[in-house]
Amino acid sequence: MLSQTEENYLKSLFHLGDEAGTNELAVFLGVKPASVNDMLKKLKEKKLVNYEKYGKISLTGEGRKKAIEIVRKHRLWETFLYEKFAFTWDEVHEVAEQLEHIQSAKLVDKLDEFLNFPAYDPHGDVIPNAKGEMPEVHKKTLFEEEVGHNCTMVAVKDNSAPFLQYVTQVGLSINNKIKVLARHDYDQQMEIEVNGKVSSISPRFAKNIVIVCNDCAKKKKAGKGRNN
Amino acid sequence: MLSQTEENYLKSLFHLGDEAGTNELAVFLGVKPASVNDMLKKLKEKKLVNYEKYGKISLTGEGRKKAIEIVRKHRLWETFLYEKFAFTWDEVHEVAEQLEHIQSAKLVDKLDEFLNFPAYDPHGDVIPNAKGEMPEVHKKTLFEEEVGHNCTMVAVKDNSAPFLQYVTQVGLSINNKIKVLARHDYDQQMEIEVNGKVSSISPRFAKNIVIVCNDCAKKKKAGKGRNN
DNA sequence: TAAATTTGTTAGACTAGCCTAACTTTACTT
DNA sequence: AAGTAAAGTTAGGCTAGTCTAACAAATTTA
C-alpha cells in the first residue's frame, strides 16, 4: 500500500514525463529538492522509479501503472462531480485531489459504470480505462474543426452562466458527438449537428468548445499534461 | 484544519460518550494509551476536548460539532454507496472511513441532496442533518412493532440474495414507510402495507427488518454507539 | 576550457503520530 | 485501611516527510 504522498510523487512524475529532474519535480510538488531526493530513494527501493544519482528520473512499468490508476481515479471523480453534483470544471480539481486517494477497487469500478464509462473528464483530458489504457488524443476548439468531420465535445473553456445555458440549448454536453456541417466564410458562423438537431453557432461560441476529432488521424506525442 | 488522525479521535470520543477514559479510547482506536495521552494534550490545546490529568475525557461544544460533521459525512457516504453503487451494508463502512475525511462543504451538501436528505444510513443509524441535529431514535425489528403503528425501515439484518430479493418484492427499501395492519396469533404471520401495497410476511422475514416507530413516544438515552 | 551558474545531493534537524518501559495515581478488595 | 490491581502518565525513541545549509556535479557561457 502506497501512502498518499508516494502516490502524489508518482502522479507528478507521470505528468512531467520521462525526462524529469529533481528541481522540476520539487517545483511541481511544492516541496524542496532535498525532500524529493529522499523520496526518490524510497521509490527506487520500491522499484517504482528508475533513478541514478545526478540522472534523469522516470517511472518503472509498475510505477507507471500505479500512476495511471491514480489519474484514472482523479478524472473519474472530476467527471462525477461535474456531471452529478453540478460542480463547475474549475471546482472539481481540488476535491478530486482528495478523492483520488480513496482505496477501493469496487468503488472505482462502480463509479466508472455509474458515469457510463466516460472517455473524457471535464477538462477534456482522456480518462484511462480499467486496463490502464489511455488513447492519445489531439484536442482543439470546435472553431478549428474541419467541415464534414465528426468530433466529440470534451470540455468548455468558458464557465459563465450565459455560455453554459447556450451550450445546453444547442443540446451539447461532455462526451457528446458533433458533426460540422458548414462554415460561412463571410462571418465564420458555423452549422453543426448534435443528436440530429442542427444549430448555427458564432465563432466566439465555437472557440469555447473543446473537442477531439473522430475523423483526424490519431498520431501525436504525449505532452507534459496538467497537474492532476 | 484538522488532520485525519485528529478527526478520528474526535469521532471516537463522540461514539464513546462523555465518560471515556484513556485506555478505553486507546482500545477503541487500536493504539496505545501513551499515544492517546499525547493526542489529548493537543486536542485540549485546540479547545476540542475537556481533559484534566487522571480525569474523564469529554468533547467541548466545538469538538462535538466537529465530531458530528464527521459522523454525518460517514453516514451519508454509507448511504450513497449502498443506494447508488450497490454496496452491501457490511461493505460500506470501510470505504466510508476514508470518504468521511474529504474536505468540501459543497460536496457534503450535494451528496445530501442527491440522496434526497436521508434520515437513516444502511445500518439504521440516524444521519445528523446539515445543522448537526440528530434526533434520538429507538430501533427495533419490524416483528416487534405494534399493530396499527406506522414505522420507517432503516436497515436489514440479513444480507443474503434471497432475502434481499424478497425485500424488493414487498416494495421495501431503506427510509420507506411501513404500516403494520395485523399480526396473526396462530403463526405470527404479519400483514403490512408499503406504498399502498399489502403483503403478508413471515416472522422470520419481519425479524430481519430494522425499523423505527413513527407513532411511539420518542424519549430514550443515547447509548455508546458503533464504530463510525 | 575555465569560470560561473544551475542542478542535484548530503547531513542534520524538526513535527506528527506512534511505540515501549518505567512510573504514578486511583480504584477495588478484603 | 492496606495492599493489589487497574488506569493513566511520562520519558525517550522510532518513522515518514518535511526543512535549511553546505557541498558536489553538470551545464552553460564567455
Side-chain angles (χ1 to χ4, degrees), chain A residues 49-108:
Chain A
V49 303
N50 303 119
Y51 167 62
E52 296 303 333
K53 249 190 179 183
Y54 298 105
K56 289 297 179 187
I57 312 158
S58 64
L59 291 167
T60 62
E62 187 58 22
R64 186 181 157 82
K65 196 178 138 198
K66 298 273 188 197
I68 288 178
E69 274 171 30
I70 302 158
V71 170
R72 171 169 156 78
K73 286 196 276 182
H74 182 101
R75 295 182 180 172
L76 283 173
W77 278 117
E78 284 193 340
T79 306
F80 175 81
L81 295 173
Y82 184 85
E83 291 198 351
K84 304 295 180 182
F85 283 5
F87 277 56
T88 57
W89 61 269
D90 49 334
E91 289 174 326
V92 296
H93 180 74
E94 185 188 340
V95 183
E97 282 291 290
Q98 301 177 60
L99 287 163
E100 72 189 1
H101 299 294
I102 303 293
Q103 305 291 158
S104 167
K106 180 166 182 176
L107 180 57
V108 181

Side-chain angles (χ1 to χ4, degrees), chain B residues 42-89:
Chain B
K42 195 168 135 195
L43 293 175
K44 182 189 168 141
E45 193 59 37
K46 293 193 176 185
K47 304 236 163 71
L48 295 168
V49 302
N50 304 118
Y51 167 63
E52 296 303 332
K53 250 188 177 185
Y54 298 106
K56 288 297 178 187
I57 312 158
S58 64
L59 292 167
T60 62
E62 188 58 23
R64 187 182 155 83
K65 196 177 139 198
K66 298 272 189 199
I68 288 178
E69 274 170 30
I70 301 158
V71 170
R72 170 169 156 79
K73 286 196 277 182
H74 182 101
R75 293 181 181 173
L76 282 173
W77 279 117
E78 284 194 341
T79 305
F80 175 81
L81 295 172
Y82 184 85
E83 291 198 353
K84 304 296 178 182
F85 283 4
F87 277 57
T88 57
W89 60 268

Side-chain angles (χ1 to χ4, degrees), chain B residues 106-119:
Chain B
K106 180 166 182 175
L107 179 56
V108 182
D109 289 348
K110 289 288 182 180
L111 187 58
D112 197 18
E113 184 189 334
F114 193 66
L115 298 169
N116 199 28
F117 309 101

Side-chain angles (χ1 to χ4, degrees), chain B residues 184-201:
Chain B
H184 303 295
D185 286 343
Y186 172 63
D187 54 5
Q188 301 190 304
Q189 196 81 4
M190 295 170 76
E191 306 286 333
I192 60 168
E193 183 182 326
V194 180
N195 278 133
K197 182 180 167 192
V198 175
S199 301
S200 179
I201 61 171

